[in-house]
Amino acid sequence: MSKFKNEISTIGRQNKLSRCTNDKGEIFNQEEIINSWKHSYQERVSRNKDEIGLRLPQFGALSAIRAHWATSNTPATIVLPTGTGKTETMYAAIISERISSTLIIVPSNLLREQIFEGASHFGKLPQLGMISEEVINPTTLLYKSKVDEKDEKTLIDSINEANIIVSTPSMIKNLPKSVLAKLVEKVEVVIFDEAHHLAAPDWSNVRERFLGKKILQFTATPFRNDGKKVDGKIIFNYGLGLAQKSGFFKPIDFYPVQEFDERKSDEEIARIAIQHLSEDLEQGYEHVLLARTNSRKRADELYRDIYSKYKEYNPVVIHTGIPANQRNNFLNQVKDGRAKIVVCVDMFGEGIDIPTLKIAAIHDKYKSLPITLQFIGRFARTSSNNLGNAKLITNVAMEDLKEAIEELYHQDSDWNQLLNIHSKKAIDNEVELGEFIGRFKKGHVKEIDLSQLKMKVSTRMFRYHSQETFVNGWKSVLNSDRTTPFINEQDSVYIFIEEIETKVVWSDQKDIVKHDYEFFVLFFDKDNGIIHINETDARKGNRLVDSMFPNASAIKGDAIYRSLDGINRLMIGTLGLKQAPSGRISFRMFAGTDIKSGISEATLSGSTKSNLFGYGYQGGGRISIGCSYKGKVWMRWVERLNFWTEWCQTIGKKVMDDSINTNNVLSNSLTLEEIKEFPDGVPYKILLPEMIEVSNSSTRQVYLSKEEKAIPFFQTELRNPSLVNGNLRFDFWLNERKYIFEQIINGNSYSFYQIEGEELEVKVGSKKVKMIDYLYEHSPEISFIQSDGTVIMVQENLKTVIKPKKEIELPSDSFFSEDWNELGIDIKSESQGMERKVDSIQYATIHNIIDQESDIIFDDDGSGEIADVVAVKIDKENRKAIFHLFHCKYSAGDLPGARVKDLYEVCGQAEKSIIWNDNVLEIVQRMIVRENQRQTKYNESRFEKGDLRTLHMLKKMVRSGFETEFKIAIVQPGVSISKITDSMKQVILATDSYLKETYGIRLTCHFSK
């Protein structure tokens, strides 16, 4: 400690100036202060537990600052995790470099007071034996409140005198102009503490004012609140993983809770947290539990309803709404261990040092990843022998909290090492990926995190007849001094990242080069005898394969197109043909409506398929796929490494299957054809583009100009398509109002007309367009069925023909006969309405057909419906939600019969509803919206079972990764199973095939006997 005394004076109401005085009470001048630093400072470094001095991360950061300032004055970022001593690093930089004037910017009043107190005597540096008693402490100014005009001169004088000024961004920003000008002129160095706040306007405003000065930005994470990197070169980065390895941090035991009912979430978090507190105290650990909320109201509620009951732990609640004296009393109880539970908002954020805080019960997440990192990191610090591992308890079923925890993995790779996850069900994908990544030998390289590696899904394949791998062969192809290898011999996956330098095109200067990386991943699929490679340089890739797998032969030609096998409804978007050598044109590309002629040419002529790309359905979902005769297969996806290896195995197995005929793949694919008139057949389905049908946004609305009223598109529906005089006529329903439109195809063009009802407009944002113009840009898709079962899909003036599969029969267990007479149902009465008509088909469906063990039964009848009834069964144990959509239609006759027209609309509705399979969150949100609308307008509910809380809970489940399954049923009592004709069977088969070939969904039919 200094032998000199510090005296504190005030400026205005709350600002403080700390000065060092000699024995006579005289204040030292600037020259005397700086000279004393030169002679009284001795740097010491602690390299083991027996030595005192700067920790290695502190010394490293200090050395990096000096090295940076030797060549540059640009802003520099120092990354030091919470608990590694960044505050003392700041003080050491100031005194060792003898900086006469430093401005320290901090985020909060609490931290401002703490830094002022520490800076006035250089914190713990005297205790580390680095400062002798001859030191003259810095003149330190705490600026925390505005000054009156009469005090401005005193404030300016204090700034001139101060060696260290401590304040917050808002206070600096709002300084009087004359004072701010003097501050900018005087200050040599600006230090931003907790620099991840720099995205905030006040912070960035202050930083801009001091550009040109030396700027140091200290943070525990290099990510700003908006997720971007902190501006300024990172000159030193001491990661969490390194801090843990060096003993500054212990692992965090993460206990994720999965409770989707918000009412039970807080109780479950508290129960598990209290359980761990009790166990830790029994083991002799002096731990304290902190329950974090996002508001004073929430803190009071949690304390009152839950934590106050655990009186044996002397729980307290601390927030700014509690009187200061009482707050300080509670804080002291936490510090000295009398209170073992503290419920708070943000009282224990930046700058608070209570080592015994070891159990974090996060009831509400922080606003950003950096604050979350810092908060949790504070619990992981190693302080004494009577403290164990930190524990984190939070509900990952709450989507915002799950997002925060996943961000810890995605943005800061060290959390993969720091978090010990005590749950088999939490963040499954990340854990599985971590196990896969863990099997790679990284050698000396730690900086590259393979778990964050994302790659375009593609492969080139090589046949390999040996089982031997020459792992070190890569060294003959790649620069071993500039290449980082990752070897996973267990899974036979080999990754190489080579740093390269290339000349820039705009200069001949030799030392101006562009730094880049080449990337190679090889996977030896031993089961199929195939080497897969994904690379950024194909020439090097070939040499790399040859060096590691000698005599491997490239797989090329027609065999590559076997990868298309098993893709249903493959719509080829582009097709390239390589012509016979004698032709004048060596290559032709076909796209759009030319694809059909390209396929014919490829099948009938001597042309060779060069490449193609298309979309289709496989494994119950949509996929994209491209192939090249040169041996490449790709998808328009970016995925993790373990996904790629699994995909490669699937592709390789098909490519090696000699029984697959590639000509059949092409001939059975779908193509677009231009039409000059609508096709023959019955139009039975019409829907708008999927992005409109599933959107729950109100930004796209139908506008009624006379009423000056706008209605969201999700309250509309297209119905009853029919051909009238060669034109397609259809109804557009807006709630309970009907408008009629027609689409006309004339030669090579098409157009829309409104033929009934007031002229409609569409409002998109602030722009309005006529409905007929909107339909032209967003044309509906219409499906026609012909007598032989052929389905023709038309959009704009283009058609796609889907031939029926003659050999397919509907399984008998797809039909269910209902005794409608016994149920007392009028088969010509479809909807139950809000009065719940007991003789309606919908009422019978709800009460006699739907599984009554469903958790949700939802009457969705009306314009914009998903289905007439939506039932959802939630299987929490297997993390699965099963949606069952029921489409009801009244009979066209008094008695059940063989009327094919009874099937057209209901089968069209079943096909249309399949769009929700890819839009599960949207279907849940649509149900929430429609329930709120019904309640608001009629004070009636759509729920037959369940409620809005159940829907919100379901939404969280889907977000958290619950598997979803869809089932679709049609209910039409007008159809007699015993009288079904061939034409009726064709309609049912067309719908069943559509559901199965796209998403693997089976159609079930509820008819009459």
Side-chain angles (χ1 to χ4, degrees):
M1 297 292 290
S2 173
K3 67 180 183 180
F4 306 111
K5 293 182 180 179
N6 277 22
E7 68 171 29
I8 296 178
S9 58
T10 58
I11 306 163
R13 289 175 298 164
Q14 300 181 58
N15 305 309
K16 300 175 185 177
L17 186 67
S18 174
R19 295 183 177 104
C20 208
T21 61
N22 61 22
D23 294 339
K24 299 177 182 179
E26 297 170 333
I27 297 169
F28 292 102
N29 61 39
Q30 289 279 330
E31 186 177 351
E32 291 173 318
I33 294 172
I34 299 300
N35 282 337
S36 82
W37 295 358
K38 179 179 180 180
H39 300 293
S40 62
Y41 177 79
Q42 179 186 3
E43 205 148 279
R44 303 179 68 172
V45 182
S46 170
R47 291 180 173 82
N48 57 58
K49 293 181 180 180
D50 298 326
E51 292 181 306
I52 61 169
L54 292 176
R55 297 172 175 177
L56 284 176
Q58 293 172 315
F59 178 68
L62 189 57
S63 302
I65 292 168
R66 291 167 178 157
H68 177 72
W69 281 348
T71 59
S72 174
N73 275 352
T74 58
T77 299
I78 299 95
V79 181
L80 286 171
T82 303
T84 52
K86 58 185 170 66
T87 307
E88 268 59 48
T89 306
M90 296 178 202
Y91 300 153
I94 292 171
I95 189 170
S96 69
E97 302 309 298
R98 297 190 289 281
I99 302 166
S100 63
S101 181
T102 303
L103 171 64
I104 301 178
I105 300 293
V106 297
S108 66
N109 179 53
L110 195 62
L111 191 53
R112 181 170 54 191
E113 296 274 1
Q114 190 170 301
I115 293 291
F116 168 72
E117 171 63 25
S120 64
H121 53 77
F122 289 123
K124 297 178 182 177
L125 295 185
Q127 300 170 31
L128 299 177
M130 294 173 57
I131 296 177
S132 74
E133 63 176 10
E134 298 299 320
V135 71
I136 301 174
N137 288 331
T139 301
T140 308
L141 172 64
L142 172 65
Y143 180 62
K144 62 184 292 187
S145 66
K146 293 181 180 179
V147 295
D148 298 330
E149 266 187 57
K150 62 182 177 61
D151 292 322
E152 280 187 20
K153 185 178 183 307
T154 307
L155 181 58
I156 290 175
D157 291 341
S158 299
I159 289 171
N160 273 326
E161 188 181 349
N163 301 112
I164 299 175
I165 302 155
V166 185
S167 193
T168 54
S170 59
M171 293 304 300
I172 298 298
K173 176 189 171 187
N174 295 316
L175 273 170
K177 288 184 179 179
S178 60
V179 180
L180 182 57
K182 174 53 67 177
L183 181 65
V184 172
E185 176 191 336
K186 175 73 166 50
V187 165
E188 289 181 40
V189 174
V190 181
I191 295 177
F192 290 94
D193 192 12
E194 314 299 352
H196 50 266
H197 291 287
L198 279 168
D202 283 353
W203 285 71
S204 58
N205 181 282
V206 171
R207 186 176 182 271
E208 285 176 16
R209 293 302 300 262
F210 288 92
L211 287 176
K213 304 287 184 177
K214 292 178 179 177
I215 294 177
L216 295 179
Q217 300 167 166
F218 284 82
T219 181
T221 167
F223 301 101
R224 307 187 320 190
N225 288 347
D226 57 5
K228 298 178 182 178
K229 288 275 188 180
V230 172
D231 293 333
K233 180 182 179 182
I234 297 177
I235 62 171
F236 187 75
N237 186 353
Y238 198 81
L240 286 166
L242 189 56
Q244 181 190 6
K245 185 178 179 181
S246 300
F248 299 122
F249 279 85
K250 286 189 176 181
I252 295 178
D253 295 329
F254 178 31
Y255 298 89
V257 173
Q258 287 219 323
E259 178 52 66
F260 298 95
D261 189 335
E262 288 187 28
R263 297 179 302 182
K264 298 178 182 177
S265 174
D266 289 330
E267 292 178 358
E268 186 64 10
I269 292 172
R271 184 187 69 79
I272 294 175
I274 294 290
Q275 175 185 325
H276 287 295
L277 175 64
S278 175
E279 291 172 357
D280 288 358
L281 292 176
E282 284 180 11
Q283 293 177 39
Y285 293 126
E286 298 175 358
H287 289 178
V288 173
L289 185 162
L290 182 144
R292 195 269 166 183
T293 70
N294 61 5
S295 69
R296 287 156 46 175
K297 181 183 177 188
R298 280 273 289 148
D300 288 336
E301 289 173 352
L302 273 178
Y303 177 77
R304 181 191 67 229
D305 299 338
I306 298 177
Y307 287 102
S308 64
K309 298 173 184 176
Y310 298 95
K311 298 187 185 302
E312 65 272 30
Y313 301 115
N314 188 28
V316 296
V317 59
I318 298 178
H319 56 67
T320 53
I322 293 174
N325 289 341
Q326 188 177 358
R327 194 164 67 234
N328 290 333
N329 178 36
F330 287 161
L331 185 58
N332 289 330
Q333 289 185 44
V334 174
K335 286 181 177 180
D336 63 24
R338 284 176 290 153
K340 291 296 182 183
I341 298 176
V342 55
V343 183
C344 72
V345 184
D346 285 323
M347 292 296 296
F348 295 88
E350 296 148 336
I352 289 295
D353 185 13
I354 304 178
T356 54
L357 289 175
K358 283 295 174 184
I359 302 174
I362 303 183
H363 292 267
D364 303 309
K365 82 160 191 175
Y366 277 93
K367 295 178 182 178
S368 69
L369 171 67
I371 300 175
T372 307
L373 280 169
Q374 185 193 51
F375 173 81
I376 300 173
R378 193 170 296 281
F379 282 67
R381 285 182 295 176
T382 303
S383 299
S384 67
N385 294 329
N386 57 348
L387 295 176
N389 284 3
K391 295 176 175 63
L392 166 64
I393 301 97
T394 192
N395 187 3
V396 293
M398 312 295 280
E399 59 263 32
D400 54 350
L401 288 171
K402 182 176 186 291
E403 176 187 337
I405 302 305
E406 286 182 339
E407 276 188 284
L408 297 184
Y409 280 94
H410 297 160
Q411 285 200 15
D412 196 311
S413 58
D414 286 330
W415 283 97
N416 287 292
Q417 303 174 47
L418 206 58
L419 281 180
N420 290 329
I421 302 177
H422 293 264
S423 172
K424 291 182 180 179
K425 292 185 176 180
I427 320 177
D428 291 333
N429 292 336
E430 298 295 342
V431 174
E432 289 172 12
L433 177 62
E435 292 173 353
F436 174 68
I437 296 302
R439 294 195 284 271
F440 281 87
K441 296 176 184 176
K442 296 186 179 182
H444 65 284
V445 178
K446 303 295 183 185
E447 290 78 14
I448 299 175
D449 179 13
L450 294 182
S451 69
Q452 301 200 50
L453 187 71
K454 287 187 176 181
M455 50 196 292
K456 292 181 179 178
V457 178
S458 71
T459 181
R460 290 192 305 118
M461 290 168 279
F462 297 78
R463 193 79 174 94
Y464 190 55
H465 296 286
S466 172
Q467 290 288 304
E468 190 172 6
T469 304
F470 296 88
V471 177
N472 291 323
W474 67 269
K475 294 178 181 178
S476 65
V477 179
L478 307 176
N479 185 334
S480 58
D481 293 330
R482 287 176 167 263
T483 299
T484 304
F486 298 91
I487 308 299
N488 179 347
E489 294 191 28
Q490 182 176 334
D491 299 300
S492 300
V493 182
Y494 311 92
I495 301 173
F496 305 98
I497 301 172
E498 182 183 32
E499 184 181 356
I500 59 171
E501 291 181 355
T502 55
K503 287 183 63 176
V504 296
V505 297
W506 42 267
S507 175
D508 291 328
Q509 188 173 333
K510 290 184 178 180
D511 59 350
I512 299 180
V513 294
K514 182 169 58 176
H515 293 272
D516 205 345
Y517 293 90
E518 298 286 13
F519 174 69
F520 306 89
V521 184
L522 292 90
F523 166 46
F524 181 15
D525 176 6
K526 293 182 178 179
D527 292 338
N528 294 306
I530 297 176
I531 310 300
H532 294 266
I533 185 168
N534 183 309
E535 77 275 270
T536 54
D537 185 328
R539 290 184 181 179
K540 277 188 183 178
N542 289 335
R543 291 163 51 206
L544 197 56
V545 171
D546 190 52
S547 69
M548 296 178 63
F549 306 94
N551 302 316
S553 57
I555 301 174
K556 297 182 178 180
D558 253 19
I560 294 298
Y561 298 98
R562 294 172 182 164
S563 60
L564 303 172
D565 183 63
I567 298 176
N568 297 321
R569 298 184 180 240
L570 175 63
M571 174 69 77
I572 298 177
T574 58
L575 173 66
L577 296 184
K578 190 176 181 182
Q579 306 298 113
S582 58
R584 295 178 62 188
I585 301 174
S586 62
F587 179 81
R588 295 176 67 192
M589 176 66 78
F590 299 86
T593 55
D594 291 332
I595 292 290
K596 187 171 184 179
S597 58
I599 290 175
S600 299
E601 189 171 322
T603 305
L604 301 175
S605 71
S607 301
T608 302
K609 297 182 291 294
S610 171
N611 58 73
L612 65 81
F613 185 83
Y615 298 88
Y617 296 86
Q618 189 175 43
R622 302 182 199 184
I623 65 163
S624 65
I625 190 163
C627 310
S628 166
Y629 81 101
K630 291 184 178 180
K632 188 172 183 177
V633 182
W634 70 93
M635 290 179 141
R636 284 186 177 167
W637 289 346
V638 175
E639 281 288 352
R640 304 283 186 185
L641 185 59
N642 53 344
F643 175 93
W644 177 76
T645 56
E646 292 172 9
W647 175 80
C648 285
Q649 285 179 306
T650 302
I651 293 296
K653 188 175 182 180
K654 287 199 283 187
V655 167
M656 299 309 297
D657 188 348
D658 293 332
S659 66
I660 298 173
N661 187 328
T662 58
N663 284 330
N664 290 341
V665 171
L666 273 186
S667 59
N668 291 329
S669 63
L670 305 180
T671 59
L672 290 172
E673 295 179 63
E674 197 170 65
I675 56 176
K676 299 186 181 298
E677 60 183 13
F678 285 104
D680 294 332
V682 178
Y684 70 99
K685 179 180 70 173
I686 181 169
L687 73 158
L688 288 165
E690 183 174 319
M691 68 170 188
I692 300 174
E693 289 279 0
V694 301
S695 173
N696 295 305
S697 170
S698 296
T699 57
R700 187 186 291 111
Q701 302 173 315
V702 180
Y703 187 71
L704 302 170
S705 54
K706 288 183 180 179
E707 301 176 32
E708 296 185 349
K709 183 179 181 181
I711 298 173
F713 248 94
F714 56 75
Q715 292 178 230
T716 70
E717 187 174 9
L718 303 186
R719 298 180 193 167
N720 304 324
S722 62
L723 287 177
V724 179
N725 299 324
N727 300 329
L728 182 83
R729 184 172 293 183
F730 58 91
D731 300 342
F732 180 79
W733 284 83
L734 191 62
N735 288 334
E736 304 305 317
R737 305 188 204 182
K738 183 174 76 171
Y739 303 81
I740 300 178
F741 288 81
E742 275 192 354
Q743 180 181 352
I744 297 171
I745 294 178
N746 186 7
N748 295 323
S749 65
Y750 65 97
S751 55
F752 290 86
Y753 295 92
Q754 184 172 344
I755 63 175
E756 187 176 302
E758 85 172 80
E759 186 178 66
L760 296 180
E761 293 180 303
V762 175
K763 187 177 180 183
V764 182
S766 59
K767 184 182 177 182
K768 292 177 191 172
V769 297
K770 290 183 178 180
M771 174 63 114
I772 56 174
D773 295 330
Y774 188 79
L775 289 172
Y776 182 85
E777 294 294 330
H778 304 86
S779 296
E781 179 186 280
I782 308 100
S783 293
F784 295 77
I785 188 164
Q786 298 181 325
S787 57
D788 65 348
T790 298
V791 174
I792 302 176
M793 299 168 64
V794 174
Q795 192 167 28
E796 298 175 355
N797 60 335
L798 303 172
K799 76 173 182 180
T800 303
V801 179
I802 302 168
K803 294 291 186 182
K805 292 181 171 61
K806 299 291 185 182
E807 70 279 6
I808 295 179
E809 288 286 336
L810 269 176
S812 58
D813 60 356
S814 293
F815 295 121
F816 295 90
S817 63
E818 311 291 345
D819 192 335
W820 303 100
N821 286 329
E822 185 177 316
L823 295 174
I825 300 305
D826 176 0
I827 66 172
K828 298 185 75 173
S829 174
E830 179 182 322
S831 302
Q832 68 170 357
M834 283 183 283
E835 63 272 28
R836 308 295 204 269
K837 290 189 294 184
V838 296
D839 65 345
S840 65
I841 300 165
Q842 189 186 23
Y843 185 91
T845 301
I846 291 169
H847 295 280
N848 300 97
I849 295 176
I850 291 176
D851 182 358
Q852 294 303 304
E853 292 186 6
S854 299
D855 296 278
I856 297 170
I857 301 177
F858 191 80
D859 173 359
D860 196 41
D861 183 46
S863 296
E865 68 185 33
I866 299 159
D868 290 283
V869 187
V870 179
V872 186
K873 191 170 185 179
I874 300 170
D875 181 354
K876 290 184 181 179
E877 183 176 348
N878 295 304
R879 294 173 55 79
K880 189 174 185 178
I882 302 168
F883 291 77
H884 207 150
L885 310 183
F886 291 85
H887 299 275
C888 307
K889 194 63 186 171
Y890 62 86
S891 170
D894 294 328
L895 296 173
R899 295 174 295 272
V900 68
K901 65 180 180 180
D902 277 335
L903 288 171
Y904 289 136
E905 186 175 351
V906 73
C907 285
Q909 290 172 340
E911 289 185 25
K912 177 179 174 179
S913 65
I914 205 170
I915 59 176
W916 297 107
N917 190 88
D918 276 342
N919 299 280
V920 183
L921 283 173
E922 286 78 6
I923 193 176
V924 179
Q925 184 59 34
R926 177 69 60 88
M927 293 165 74
I928 292 170
V929 169
R930 286 172 70 78
E931 168 64 7
N932 285 329
Q933 288 176 337
R934 173 73 69 87
Q935 288 279 11
T936 301
K937 193 170 183 180
Y938 300 108
N939 197 28
E940 289 284 342
S941 175
R942 290 183 176 273
F943 285 101
E944 296 287 337
K945 187 175 183 181
D947 51 28
L948 276 173
R949 184 178 61 82
T950 317
L951 276 181
H952 283 290
M953 188 171 71
L954 176 61
K955 192 174 180 180
K956 295 184 181 75
M957 291 174 174
V958 173
R959 284 186 184 276
S960 74
F962 264 53
E963 181 187 349
T964 56
E965 178 184 334
F966 273 74
K967 297 181 179 180
I968 295 177
I970 59 174
V971 183
Q972 172 51 287
V975 173
S976 169
I977 294 176
S978 62
K979 297 178 182 179
I980 289 178
T981 64
D982 286 342
S983 59
M984 296 173 74
K985 192 177 293 185
Q986 291 292 354
V987 175
I988 298 169
L989 275 170
T991 298
D992 183 62
S993 296
Y994 181 71
L995 301 186
K996 283 179 180 174
E997 290 176 6
T998 52
Y999 293 102
I1001 298 173
R1002 174 188 169 197
L1003 176 70
T1004 54
C1005 308
H1006 297 266
F1007 297 148
S1008 294
K1009 292 181 181 178

